[in-house]
Amino acid sequence: MRHASLLISFSGLDGAGKSTQIQGLCDLLARLGYKTNLRAFWDHVVVFSRWRESFVHKAYGSERGVGAPGQPVARRDKNVRHWYLTLMRHVLYLLDVLHLRRVVQEARRGCDVLILDRYIYDELANLPLRNPITRVYVRWVQQLAPKPDIAFVLDADPEAAVARKPEYPLDFMRQCRAQYHELARQLGTLTVIPPLPLSQARQAVTDVFMRKLAATLRQQAGERDVETESDAASAA
């Protein structure tokens, strides 16, 4: 592609199949001959990530790891909702979105498609979205964050997600799912992929991406035509 790279983000419940869908999209882009950059939100964007992880382990006894079938872990981080943690999250998420702007700007250089494994939306889904002050904050953060060309939210059945990654209680996962849907309703810019078998979800992701890619290429072709006509007129 001739101009700025596409920005694609993937969000959703733990265990919704984000890694699988990201790999599928990367494979598709490789076959199409496009250069891809992949960034993980926690590793490349979140500020003070080691301090934040260490804090929840020491303060709340959160276990490490993501859990696997037959080997559950007891995570206590985003599912701890004390008021002072909610206040702290508002501050930290603001720092994260400011750093996100820089990461996206740098990572877009030299690639056709930049993919983010999780995005600021996954953090916003941890906030009390029905609170009027938080709703204003969410809108503000949305304006600050680079707007993805496609912001996928992979919906999932909470029971199935917990079976794949048993790290959070089922009731909390149900709350998270409701939060993602509420965030999508408030922002109106998220593309929700419904709970589907992995192969069907992959096809849904592919269809949405290919439509966006085709629209982008048509737009760029139109811009080239305008530039060609302008150059011809100048030469004449």
Side-chain angles (χ1 to χ4, degrees):
M1 285 176 286
R2 184 166 176 263
H3 299 297
S5 61
L6 292 176
L7 173 60
I8 313 297
S9 68
F10 284 82
S11 301
L13 292 178
D14 299 275
K18 290 182 293 299
S19 298
T20 300
Q21 300 308 328
I22 289 171
Q23 185 59 56
L25 182 57
C26 288
D27 292 343
L28 171 65
L29 289 166
R31 292 196 299 271
L32 294 175
Y34 290 113
K35 183 177 180 181
T36 305
N37 274 349
L38 174 62
R39 295 290 184 270
F41 192 83
W42 180 260
D43 294 332
H44 298 101
V45 176
V46 170
V47 297
F48 311 129
S49 57
R50 291 184 180 179
W51 176 84
R52 286 156 75 166
E53 184 176 13
S54 177
F55 172 78
V56 296
H57 288 309
K58 293 179 180 179
Y60 299 106
S62 177
E63 295 184 8
R64 299 180 184 274
V66 296
Q71 295 179 320
V73 297
R75 293 284 292 273
R76 288 183 56 79
D77 37 54
K78 63 184 179 182
N79 55 328
V80 180
R81 299 295 178 90
H82 299 310
W83 69 267
Y84 55 87
L85 290 179
T86 298
L87 179 60
M88 186 184 301
R89 287 181 179 119
H90 281 76
V91 176
L92 290 173
Y93 295 171
L94 177 59
L95 296 178
D96 289 344
V97 77
L98 294 176
H99 189 220
L100 172 65
R101 291 160 61 98
R102 177 180 176 183
V103 170
V104 168
Q105 181 181 21
E106 294 178 351
R108 269 183 153 170
R109 297 171 184 165
C111 75
D112 298 304
V113 181
L114 171 60
I115 300 176
L116 266 292
D117 182 355
R118 294 197 177 277
Y119 207 63
I120 193 67
Y121 307 127
D122 294 277
E123 294 189 327
L124 296 179
N126 292 331
L127 300 177
L129 296 175
R130 297 189 182 277
N131 182 291
I133 296 176
T134 297
R135 287 202 296 267
V136 172
Y137 171 87
V138 166
R139 289 289 184 181
W140 182 40
V141 168
Q142 182 190 30
Q143 294 299 317
L144 289 175
K147 183 180 178 182
D149 294 281
I150 308 174
F152 287 113
V153 174
L154 301 183
D155 193 9
D157 177 73
E159 287 81 358
V162 170
R164 284 193 291 268
K165 286 188 177 181
E167 51 187 334
Y168 293 106
L170 179 57
D171 287 345
F172 174 73
M173 295 292 281
R174 289 170 176 160
Q175 295 172 17
C176 282
R177 185 188 190 190
Q179 285 285 96
Y180 278 109
H181 281 279
E182 176 63 20
L183 183 66
R185 186 191 68 79
Q186 290 188 21
L187 297 184
T189 57
L190 309 183
T191 300
V192 179
I193 303 297
L196 295 168
L198 290 177
S199 60
Q200 294 180 27
R202 179 172 181 171
Q203 187 61 53
V205 168
T206 298
D207 291 345
V208 172
F209 175 78
M210 293 303 293
R211 287 195 295 268
K212 181 62 181 180
L213 177 61
T216 300
L217 294 176
R218 285 195 299 269
Q219 179 184 357
Q220 293 181 1
E223 292 172 355
R224 286 196 295 272
D225 290 343
V226 170
E227 290 176 359
T228 301
E229 292 174 1
S230 177
D231 291 344
S234 297

